[in-house]
């Protein structure tokens, strides 16, 4: 196992060496994501300051126009991912249609991402994140994005929290790297993450309970309370899933009477997080099937999400189906 403190770039290269036929494409792709997210992290850290400067003159100290952080993050990712040449196509939460970058004509991969998830938390200094999901390029058209989650080549997120962390998997376990701001490097801090078999926390927006369309879900949550569970809900999927990955328990964004498919998007929220949770030994479901088995029908499709420790997800399924 790699040593704590190993630099992400070296870790990615060492992983690549385990596959004699690897061309280095995926390594470059992952390093590009890490670089883009370091730039996003530096902007997130400046958020309050930029706002002060923005109010004063609508331009920052470099004379550039002040942008909203989610738009800026989207532009940074598009620029880095388009330029690197490894991605044939890009789909973003912030774009109606995918982009097919000029430089990516020989790219072997496609990527879906949510550039800055947790929009309601951006302006109030609460953790937010970037989520990404990588598949192989197949036919070279929009249908390539409609592959099931279990076919992901890699998935991960970056959380801009009390520290900045990158957590990713290429289907060979889950590893977490913390950004050391003094040297600008992601260093291995959480090797081979395994989600606990059982946790003590449930994470769901309970304010929606009256709208939930499944009686079994209400009973499940009431039962968790009886069993002594506590509740944590940040409202940034990256932060809520990160906590669930480390501490166990369950995270949910269910369907309700108004939103028949819930809120979270399959391609760049549910599916990459499900990949990580399952790689860490946890379980995921829409309530009806494994999230990773859902065949997408469109790029921005939503899906109900339940994920976490095996014990709680199995218990949920008993309540939903019982
Ligand atoms: P966003 O992509 O606009 O930020 O929305 C997704 C976010 C998730 O991070 C989070 O799990 C969810 O919305 C919170 O929604 P709600 O405020 O309805 O609980
Ligand atoms: Mg989002």
């Amino acid at each position: 196992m790699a040593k704590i403190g190993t630099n992400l770039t070296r870790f990615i290269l060492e992983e690549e060496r385990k596959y004699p036929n690897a061309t280095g494409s995926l390594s470059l792709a992952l390093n590009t994501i890490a670089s883009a997210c370091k730039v996003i992290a530096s902007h997130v850290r400046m958020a309050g300051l930029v706002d002060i400067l923005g109010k004063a003159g609508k331009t920052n100290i470099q004379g550039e126009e002040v942008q909203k952080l989610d738009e800026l993050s989207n532009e940074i990712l598009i620029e880095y991912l388009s330029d690197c040449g490894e991605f044939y196509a890009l789909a973003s939460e912030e774009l109606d249609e995918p982009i097919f970058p000029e430089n990516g004509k020989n790219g072997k991969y496609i990527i879906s991402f949510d550039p800055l998830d947790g929009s309601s938390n951006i302006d109030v200094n609460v953790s937010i994140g970037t989520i990404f999901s990588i598949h192989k390029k197949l036919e070279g058209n929009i249908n390539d994005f409609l592959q099931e989650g279990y076919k992901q080549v890699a998935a991960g997120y970056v959380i801009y929290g009390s520290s900045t962390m990158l957590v990713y998997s290429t289907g060979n376990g889950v590893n977490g790297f913390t950004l050391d701001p003094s040297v600008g490097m992601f260093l291995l801090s959480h090797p081979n993450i395994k989600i606990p078999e059982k946790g003590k926390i449930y994470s769901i927006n309970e304010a929606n309970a009256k709208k939930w369309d499944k009686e079994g879900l209400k009973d499940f949550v009431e039962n968790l309370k009886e069993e002594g569970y506590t509740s944590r809900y940040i409202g940034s999927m990256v932060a809520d899933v990160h906590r669930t990955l480390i501490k166990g328990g369950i995270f949910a964004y269910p369907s309700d009477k108004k939103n028949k498919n819930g809120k979270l998007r399959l391609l760049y929220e549910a599916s990459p997080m499900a990949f990580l949770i399952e790689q860490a030994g946890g379980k995921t479901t829409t309530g009806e099937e494994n999230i990773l088995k859902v065949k997408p029908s469109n790029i921005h499709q939503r899906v109900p999400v339940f994920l976490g420790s095996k014990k709680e997800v199995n218990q949920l399924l008993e309540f939903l189906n019982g």
Side-chain angles (χ1 to χ4, degrees), residues 242-293:
H242 183 66
R243 186 197 51 252
T244 307
L245 187 65
I246 305 288
K247 296 206 162 175
I250 187 164
F251 166 81
Y253 206 110
S255 58
D256 61 40
K257 288 173 192 150
K258 265 170 85 187
N259 307 301
K260 289 287 166 207
N261 294 313
K263 175 181 184 188
L264 299 176
R265 315 292 182 121
L266 176 58
L267 259 60
Y268 39 79
E269 293 176 329
S271 183
M273 293 312 204
F275 189 76
L276 293 168
I277 290 285
E278 295 208 5
Q279 279 292 319
K283 187 162 176 166
T284 74
T285 179
T286 63
E288 277 163 17
E289 63 180 321
N290 182 317
I291 293 175
L292 296 178
K293 294 219 173 111

Side-chain angles (χ1 to χ4, degrees), residues 139-159:
E139 301 161 9
N141 61 37
I142 197 162
N143 292 331
D144 288 1
F145 286 102
L146 308 181
Q147 301 180 57
E148 295 89 340
Y150 73 84
K151 293 182 179 160
Q152 285 169 104
V153 174
Y157 59 80
V158 175
I159 177 167

